[in-house]
Amino acid sequence: MVNNAQMIITLWGSDVACSVSSPQLPGIVAAYDEQPGPLELHTLAVTAGLNPGGTFDVHVECAIEVDDVTYFVRSRSDYYSRQRAKVAESIATAVRNNAGLRKYADADDLDDVLFIAALPSDRIKDVMATRSEGQPLTVGMVDDQGVWSFVGLSSGNDETGRRSMSDFGLGPESTVGDLFDRIEGKENGPLVDRARVREHLLVSA
């Protein structure tokens, strides 16, 4: 049985209000007219294999279609939901209006693209836990000065030639803020060309 799961609520629009999925509980297939409450989510998760005494985290994402590609902008529902929602709204606006950002982000095997609205304090391993196995994602964060940063994260092996977290002195327990600080070289100058970070960075969950 699974002891912890990430429950993803996807908002699709007018046809179907939302659906629920989970990387840890792939058997879940559910659609709702309105967002399900905690008891509904718990029952759904336990039926799909969550330990009845286990826990789950809830993430909400909106689906945006641009040029026949579906972009998902996801944020975690927790104590900081309001701050995360603001980041997610800004990312969604950028996805709709910024062709450069759309081109920058890697798609998965279904040609879907996942963005995560993160806070600097989020741990990398928690961000990675929200995606399906092998699915790349793009993390977006805004710092206290209002400066935006994006980076693509994936998992795999060293044969890809991309940079790994260990190259930056980081591990899964490190935070998203730590990652951007190291990439952007705030202490010792840039470690990599920011324009080429995506094709060189490999993060293992």
Side-chain angles (χ1 to χ4, degrees), residues 120 141-147 186:
M141 184 198 81
V142 59
D143 64 19
D144 294 338
Q145 286 72 47
V147 177
K186 291 186 176 179

Side-chain angles (χ1 to χ4, degrees), residues 64 66 69-73 91 94-96 98-116 135-140 149-154 162 194-199 201:
I64 303 168
V66 182
V69 177
T70 303
Y71 298 84
F72 296 94
V73 181
I91 293 175
V95 167
R96 292 186 180 97
N98 190 327
L101 179 59
R102 294 196 300 270
K103 183 178 179 180
Y104 170 82
D106 277 355
D108 62 18
D109 292 341
L110 300 176
D111 290 329
D112 295 333
V113 179
L114 174 61
F115 284 87
I116 302 292
Q135 181 184 32
L137 57 84
T138 300
V139 178
S149 295
F150 289 92
V151 71
L153 304 180
S154 60
R162 295 181 178 178
R194 280 294 286 128
R196 295 176 56 81
V197 157
R198 181 61 192 95
E199 56 189 278
L201 183 61

Side-chain angles (χ1 to χ4, degrees), residues 8 12 41 47 62-63 66 89 136 141 166 179 184 202-204:
I8 314 298
W12 294 97
L41 287 174
T47 301
C62 64
V66 182
E89 289 171 8
M141 184 198 81
S166 60
L179 176 60
E184 295 170 357
L202 164 68
V203 173
S204 299

